[in-house]
């Protein structure tokens, strides 16, 4: 990967995880974009984050996903930018984006598993986070 990649802030890293989940199935759905925008606009961790930065982070994610080891590079950047106490937050945001369209495909499930592994999310905690996301995104 070229040395021109920007380093991530903690907020950038959270956005990068959400964008990565959205692009994992090679189809970016409106519901997923709305979920990302909603999180950035309403969560306290993004209080001083500019929405314009989402586009820049998304471009970085897209470039990384074109590289052979891009996902590994992305996870390294995320771990470097995020304090360990925010790893479960990153996983929760990833689950919300994955659940936003009401379906979870194999690509999204594999990526969520990889995120759990890369961010050392305990399986019991992951199950609780996943159940919360599922409950928030149920439809009638």
């Amino acid at each position: 990967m070229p040395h021109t990649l920007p380093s991530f802030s903690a907020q950038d890293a959270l956005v990068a995880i959400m964008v990565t989940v959205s692009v994992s199935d090679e189809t970016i759905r409106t519901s997923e974009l709305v979920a990302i925008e909603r999180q950035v606009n309403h969560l306290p961790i993004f209080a001083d984050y500019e929405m314009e930065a989402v586009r820049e982070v998304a471009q970085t994610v897209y470039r990384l996903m074109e590289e052979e080891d891009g996902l590994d590079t992305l996870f390294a950047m995320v771990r470097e930018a995020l304090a360990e106490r925010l790893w479960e937050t990153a996983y929760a945001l990833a689950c919300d984006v994955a659940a936003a369209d009401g379906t979870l495909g194999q690509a999204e499930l594999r990526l969520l598993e990889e995120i759990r592994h890369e961010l050392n999310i305990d399986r019991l905690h992951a199950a609780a986070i996943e159940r919360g996301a599922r409950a928030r995104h149920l439809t009638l």
Side-chain angles (χ1 to χ4, degrees):
M1 197 74 233
H3 297 288
T4 59
L5 284 176
S7 61
F8 284 157
S9 68
Q11 293 96 336
D12 291 338
L14 295 172
V15 169
I17 286 291
M18 290 189 287
V19 170
T20 303
V21 170
S22 181
V23 301
S24 66
D25 60 1
E26 299 180 4
T27 305
I28 303 170
R29 292 181 172 75
T30 302
S31 57
E32 293 168 337
L33 294 175
V34 169
I36 293 169
E37 183 178 4
R38 183 177 57 241
Q39 305 294 14
V40 172
N41 284 332
H42 297 291
L43 291 180
I45 198 163
F46 294 110
D48 62 348
Y49 192 71
E50 295 295 326
M51 195 63 189
E52 294 79 37
V54 172
R55 182 181 310 275
E56 293 171 27
V57 170
Q59 291 301 322
T60 299
V61 169
Y62 302 152
R63 286 196 339 246
L64 285 169
M65 293 305 104
E66 292 174 355
E67 298 294 325
E68 185 175 329
D69 295 327
L71 191 57
D72 292 333
T73 301
L74 175 84
F75 284 132
M77 292 171 70
V78 166
R79 282 191 306 272
E80 183 178 317
L82 281 181
E84 191 172 334
R85 67 182 180 82
L86 293 175
W87 289 2
E88 285 183 349
T89 301
Y91 188 65
L93 293 173
C95 288
D96 276 339
V97 171
D101 65 359
T103 60
L104 288 172
Q106 286 303 310
E108 288 172 314
L109 291 171
R110 279 192 302 275
L111 181 59
L112 289 175
E113 181 179 357
E114 185 74 14
I115 294 168
R116 281 193 309 268
H117 172 74
E118 291 289 334
L119 298 181
N120 296 317
I121 306 297
D122 174 83
R123 187 64 199 127
L124 186 59
H125 293 168
I129 291 167
E130 292 160 6
R131 182 63 189 123
R134 187 174 29 238
R136 282 187 297 280
H137 294 280
L138 284 176
T139 59
L140 293 178

